[in-house]
Amino acid sequence: MQTATPEQHKVARPRADALRNRERIVTAAREMFVEHGPDVPLDDVARRAGVGNATVYRNFPDRDALVREVVCSVMDRTARAAELALTETGDAFEALERFVHASVDERISALCPMVSSTFDQHHPDLEAARERVERLVAEVMDRAKAAGQLRTDVGVGDLMIAAAQLSRPPAGTGCLSADRFVHRHLQLFLDGLRAPARSALPGAAVTMEDLRRPCDQ
């Protein structure tokens, strides 16, 4: 008497065209959020992505889900830029420069302010993406400090807030004419981070926790 073999249920994988549609939606949303802000009509996102409205809502049941996916995808690409900088660049400070310029090209400074204004900033996907970026940035900076190339009185928060302030305007401003100056001004800032330091900085090194602290604290 043979024992019945339990039926094996295969997990259905998304079809290739479904994955491509999802990626097109995220790419189109990222472009439009930068251009117009997070309140852009989802019908317009569907139109730019070249898909139907139903396809957008099938992938993202509401606006918060789409905004979160866009921000997480940008953070993931920024993290990959940091990983590549660590593995492919022998010079520690050059790795730091490479990461900063790559993160600006991802428009992370324009998208991240949406986090606190449009959805739960403690969503697990968002927290995981943010922690990965912060860990890798700290690793890039620590390597440059250990090599004696990066001044020791700066923190991850200093780097991130300066890069955001010196990069493109906030999402939805409609003015991108300053783009041609971005990498020039970022390089001026990066040159100021080199060791040995020319002057003492006021205050203490800024951490990411400092940046997340409410303004009234």
Side-chain angles (χ1 to χ4, degrees):
M1 180 177 178
Q2 291 183 332
T3 304
T5 302
E7 183 180 353
Q8 297 294 322
H9 295 284
K10 292 184 178 180
V11 177
R13 294 183 178 179
R15 296 183 311 176
D17 58 341
L19 292 174
R20 284 194 296 270
N21 282 342
R22 184 180 178 89
E23 183 60 31
R24 280 199 291 266
I25 293 167
V26 172
T27 299
R30 171 177 173 264
E31 294 171 355
M32 298 197 77
F33 290 164
V34 169
E35 294 168 12
H36 306 291
D39 296 326
V40 62
L42 296 188
D43 288 355
D44 291 352
V45 173
R47 192 173 300 112
R48 181 172 292 195
V51 301
N53 295 355
T55 302
V56 173
Y57 287 105
R58 186 161 55 247
N59 282 275
F60 305 101
D62 54 38
R63 182 182 301 276
D64 282 359
L66 179 55
V67 175
R68 181 170 59 248
E69 180 69 16
V70 169
V71 174
C72 286
S73 71
V74 169
M75 286 189 173
D76 286 343
R77 286 197 297 274
T78 302
R80 285 197 293 273
E83 289 174 334
L84 286 173
L86 285 166
T87 58
E88 296 181 359
T89 309
D91 182 272
F93 199 89
E94 184 181 337
L96 178 65
E97 291 176 319
R98 177 172 168 176
F99 161 73
V100 171
H101 286 290
S103 67
V104 168
D105 283 337
E106 288 295 344
R107 311 301 290 265
I108 196 167
S109 63
L111 293 173
C112 284
M114 297 179 188
V115 173
S116 60
S117 61
T118 60
F119 59 84
D120 179 14
Q121 59 181 305
H122 299 297
H123 188 281
D125 291 347
L126 179 64
E127 286 198 329
R130 184 167 52 212
E131 288 170 3
R132 181 184 176 208
V133 169
E134 292 174 13
R135 174 178 54 80
L136 287 166
V137 175
E139 188 175 348
V140 172
M141 293 182 70
D142 287 346
R143 194 171 82 170
K145 287 179 181 179
Q149 296 175 303
L150 175 65
R151 55 190 301 162
T152 58
D153 55 352
V154 294
V156 174
D158 290 306
L159 180 72
M160 299 304 284
I161 197 169
Q165 290 178 338
L166 289 171
S167 59
R168 295 169 174 83
T173 60
C175 179
L176 302 179
S177 62
D179 277 10
R180 63 187 183 277
F181 305 127
V182 169
H183 291 288
R184 174 183 175 86
H185 293 163
L186 277 174
Q187 193 59 49
L188 285 169
F189 162 68
L190 287 165
D191 286 348
L193 294 182
R194 284 188 177 274
R198 298 289 297 271
S199 60
L201 294 176
V206 180
T207 66
M208 295 304 296
E209 288 71 23
D210 292 331
L211 298 184
R212 286 193 283 268
R213 189 172 296 129
C215 294
D216 57 354
Q217 293 185 9

